[in-house]
Amino acid sequence: MNSIAVMTSGGDSPGMNPAIRAITRSALNQGLRVFGINRGYSGLIIGDITELKSNHVTNIIQRGGTILKSDRCLAFKDPIVRNQAAEILKKHGIDGLIVIGGDGSLTGAHLLTQETGIPVVGLPGTIDNDIYGTDDSIGFDTVLNTALDAIDRIRDTALSHERIFLVEVMGRNSGHIASQVGIASGAEMIIVPEVDFKLENLCFSLASQRAQNKGGSGIIVVAEGPVPGLTFRLAKQLETQGEKPGVSILGYIQRGGRPTGHDRVLASCLGASAVTYLLAGFTDIMVGVTNSQITTTPLQDIVEKTKPLNPDLVELSQLLHK
Ligand code: ADP
Ligand code: F6P
C-alpha cells in the first residue's frame, strides 16, 4: 500500500478534523501518500481529490466541522456509481480508503469494499453515538457538553419563573444524546424514541413533583425523533393540562463547535489506528472503542445491528427523580 485517502461523510461532528489530522500525520510518518476526498461520496464520484501534506492539517485539531467538507450523496446508493467511484480511486493510485461518518456512511463504505475489493476502514463520526460496535463516537462528548451548557442556562430561567421547559436535542432515530444529556442536566424527564412514552405519565410526574414540594420548574429533555415537531406537539398537550411550558430547540448549535479534549484524544487514537489496520491488510471493518480499548467490528454488523440505549442509564434517570 503506497497511498491512502480519507473522507468525511454524512452529518458533520466535532472531532472530524482531529481524526483527519491523525490519519494524515500517521500515514505520512509511515511513508504513505495521503489524499483528501472533498464532500464525502459526492466528491469521490466526481474525483474531487487533493493530496494532503502535513501542513494542510496544521492548526485544525481545535476546529469543529471538517476541512474536507461533508455531504449526503444519494447517487452512491447505486452500485454502478460505486463501481465508477472505485475506478476513480484506482486512477488516482489510491490503495485504501478511510471513511469517517455515521451508520449511513459506513453502509456505503461496506458496499464499496464488498463490491469492488478496494480496502476500506471506517471510523464512527457522528454526534448521535448510535453506531453498533463502539461505546463512543467522535463528536458525542462535545455534543453532550454543548447541550449541557445550554440546558444549565435554561434551568436558571426555569427556576426564576417556576416554569417547565421542553428542550429538544438532536437524535432522529436514537435517544443516546437525550439520555445522557438528561442525566447530566438532572432533567425531570427524558423522552426518547426507544422508550414508549405516555403524556399521562408526564403530567403525573409534574404533579407529583409539585406535591413533593420540588417547586414548579422542571426540564424535560426530548430527542427530536423521526417526525419533526414532536416537542411543540408535547408543549401544546401540556398547555391543555394547564401548564405554560417553554420550548427550546437546540438544533444545529449541537453539531458545531470546538471538539472537547475527550473527542480530540478519541479522534487521534482512532485515526492513527485506522491507518495501522489498513496497512496491516484489514478491510470492511470499523475501528471503535469498547471498554476503553481500541476494537474492530465488521462493517456488516454495523449495517445490520442497531446500538440499544444503555438500560442502566434509562433506569438511573428514572430512579434519580423518584
Ligand atoms: P450518516 O453517515 O451521518 O449516518 P447518512 O445516513 O445521510 O448520514 O449517510 C451519508 C451518506 O452515506 C449518504 O448520503 C450516502 O452517500 C451514503 N449511504 C447511506 N446509506 C447508503 C446505502 N444504503 N448505500 C450506499 N451508500 C449509502
Ligand atoms: O448528525 C446526526 C444528526 O444530527 C441527527 O441527529 C439529525 O437527525 C440529523 O443529523 C439532522 O441533520 P440534517 O438536517 O443535516 O439532515
Side-chain angles (χ1 to χ4, degrees):
M1 194 165 283
N2 296 312
S3 297
I4 66 163
V6 52
M7 70 155 77
T8 47
S9 165
D12 66 342
S13 68
M16 283 181 161
N17 277 330
I20 295 166
R21 172 180 177 270
I23 290 164
T24 305
R25 295 252 165 101
S26 66
L28 290 173
N29 284 330
Q30 293 176 79
L32 299 173
R33 287 180 77 189
V34 186
F35 292 87
I37 298 170
N38 296 308
R39 298 182 184 79
Y41 295 117
S42 301
L44 173 59
I45 64 178
I46 58 164
D48 186 359
I49 298 173
T50 6
E51 186 156 4
L52 295 176
K53 302 286 187 190
S54 191
N55 66 307
H56 291 120
V57 294
T58 297
N59 281 328
I60 66 167
I61 197 165
Q62 75 280 20
R63 285 169 52 193
T66 158
I67 58 160
L68 292 177
K69 318 277 183 199
S70 192
D71 199 11
R72 293 190 159 95
C73 170
L74 283 184
F76 204 70
K77 295 193 173 176
D78 179 347
I80 297 169
V81 173
R82 291 195 291 271
N83 252 298
Q84 289 163 354
E87 290 309 315
I88 289 172
L89 288 170
K90 285 180 198 154
K91 201 178 89 194
H92 281 78
I94 292 166
D95 310 308
L97 173 65
I98 298 173
V99 175
I100 311 167
D103 54 357
S105 303
L106 299 180
T107 301
H110 169 63
L111 294 172
L112 180 67
T113 185
Q114 281 284 315
E115 293 165 359
T116 69
I118 300 267
V120 183
V121 167
L123 287 187
T126 167
I127 62 165
D128 289 338
N129 201 24
D130 58 348
I131 301 179
Y132 179 84
T134 187
D135 292 344
D136 212 358
S137 64
I138 296 165
F140 184 58
D141 186 64
T142 307
V143 70
L144 289 189
N145 284 290
T146 304
L148 199 52
D149 182 53
I151 294 175
D152 287 349
R153 290 160 194 262
I154 292 166
R155 193 179 276 283
D156 289 345
T157 291
L159 283 165
S160 307
H161 289 265
E162 298 189 288
R163 279 179 80 186
I164 301 291
F165 274 79
L166 292 150
V167 184
E168 183 178 295
V169 296
M170 276 188 162
R172 195 171 284 165
N173 302 309
S174 70
H176 293 276
I177 298 175
S179 153
Q180 295 214 17
V181 164
I183 288 176
S185 62
E188 276 62 31
M189 191 153 189
I190 303 169
I191 297 173
V192 290
E194 293 89 339
V195 179
D196 276 347
F197 147 82
K198 290 196 176 62
L199 189 75
E200 300 90 83
N201 294 349
L202 173 54
C203 296
F204 175 76
S205 141
L206 293 177
S208 74
Q209 175 174 319
R210 291 202 177 105
Q212 289 173 63
N213 251 343
K214 284 190 181 171
S217 73
I219 298 288
I220 300 164
V221 171
V222 185
E224 63 177 319
V227 184
L230 169 67
T231 310
F232 284 109
R233 285 195 299 281
L234 288 173
K236 282 254 166 306
Q237 285 179 296
L238 279 176
E239 278 168 17
T240 65
Q241 313 285 322
E243 298 288 343
K244 287 187 185 140
V247 172
S248 269
I249 312 290
L250 298 190
Y252 287 95
I253 60 159
Q254 296 165 95
R255 284 244 294 257
R258 298 164 61 228
T260 57
H262 175 87
D263 273 329
R264 296 182 202 191
V265 174
L266 176 70
S268 301
C269 293
L270 294 184
S273 298
V275 175
T276 306
Y277 278 105
L278 208 47
L279 273 177
F282 286 79
T283 184
D284 209 6
I285 56 160
M286 180 192 75
V287 181
V289 62
T290 310
N291 297 328
S292 304
Q293 301 294 317
I294 300 282
T295 50
T296 62
T297 305
L299 287 177
Q300 175 89 37
D301 285 357
I302 285 142
V303 174
E304 288 173 355
K305 300 180 186 177
T306 48
K307 178 172 163 181
L309 280 189
N310 181 342
D312 295 341
L313 287 185
V314 174
E315 204 180 305
L316 179 68
S317 70
Q318 289 158 357
L319 176 78
L320 295 181
H321 282 286
K322 278 187 186 144

